[in-house]
Amino acid sequence: MTSPLIQVEHVSKVFLTDEVETHALSDISFNIHQGEFVCIAGPSGCGKSTLLSILGLLDTPTKGSYTLNGRTMTGLSPAERTRVRGSQIGFVFQSFNLIAEMTVKENVELPLQYARVTAAERHTRVNEVLEAVGMAHRANHYPSQLSGGQQQRVAVARALVSRPAIFLADEPTGNLDSTHGHAVMELLQRLHGNGSTICMVSHDERFTELGDRIIRLRDGQQVGASVPDLKIA
């Protein structure tokens, strides 16, 4: 078997506020392999988003190690974490975080501009990902002209345009109604079917059951992993 894309070993996270210790995560260990769709599940406040922030290099563990693509992420400088995030990690959050003054195309193109990708390459890749998420016909619209589900699809396209090694989604259906939530999950399943590696946080069992594997947390501790009994095609 090939080496895991992600290796998390004995990771803990402690927050210190007013001399009070809050143990957000305690001794978490798991691997994610290339092409997997892994869901992190558990009730609100169990540490799901903290764990995803560590995977996305937005935060650092207090103890333990995190390896991405064979390289340890522990001890990287802020500038190094930023470089790795920009080249290997794609994010989708509960809030869409689109820039209101920019068109759909401009929002999706922004990460490539930061990465100094050529104009011709940017054009090709933006069109490619907008086609993939079914939003090419809205390329020149602004976020205010889109539904919530459409805005989330644009956010997915923006995360994909850098061709990341791992795609992280933090409650991507949290601000959507049931119909749009299912549409976004169908999109993620399709991307997974095309080879994308996805790690998604959700408290909604309807959606966590769609992954290949579920990592369950409770009170900051890992309480097991499971393979869903039923997957919807």
Side-chain angles (χ1 to χ4, degrees), residues 83-147:
R83 282 195 291 273
V84 173
R85 266 201 311 272
S87 62
Q88 297 197 55
I89 300 170
F91 291 95
V92 173
F93 299 100
Q94 182 173 334
S95 54
F96 317 127
N97 294 334
L98 301 179
I99 299 173
E101 296 78 17
M102 288 185 170
T103 65
V104 164
K105 178 182 177 181
E106 290 167 342
N107 267 282
V108 174
E109 187 179 27
L110 195 58
L112 299 182
Q113 290 180 320
Y114 287 141
R116 298 182 179 179
V117 175
T118 65
E121 178 70 6
R122 293 201 306 267
H123 177 78
T124 298
R125 286 164 67 169
V126 169
N127 287 342
E128 178 184 276
V129 295
L130 287 177
E131 285 286 352
V133 303
M135 290 299 294
H137 66 298
R138 294 283 200 168
N140 295 315
H141 287 70
Y142 290 89
S144 62
Q145 297 173 302
L146 306 177
S147 70

Side-chain angles (χ1 to χ4, degrees), residues 150-218:
Q150 289 173 328
Q151 289 186 58
Q152 192 61 294
R153 283 174 174 265
V154 175
V156 170
R158 182 181 57 192
L160 288 172
V161 76
S162 298
R163 297 173 179 168
I166 182 76
F167 183 87
L168 304 178
D170 191 358
E171 300 281 7
T173 63
N175 282 337
L176 304 177
D177 60 29
S178 180
T179 298
H180 287 120
H182 278 285
V184 168
M185 286 306 305
E186 288 172 1
L187 170 61
L188 293 181
Q189 285 185 282
R190 188 163 71 248
L191 295 172
H192 171 235
N194 290 333
S196 294
T197 307
I198 300 172
C199 182
M200 182 185 77
V201 157
S202 180
H203 68 273
D204 192 328
E205 288 291 334
R206 296 174 302 166
F207 298 141
T208 57
E209 291 291 329
L210 301 181
D212 295 325
R213 184 159 51 94
I214 305 170
I215 297 168
R216 298 188 183 276
L217 301 181
R218 184 178 299 125

Side-chain angles (χ1 to χ4, degrees), residues 10-24:
H10 305 294
V11 160
S12 297
K13 179 66 179 181
V14 179
F15 293 103
L16 298 174
T17 55
D18 298 328
E19 299 182 357
V20 175
E21 288 190 359
T22 301
H23 291 258

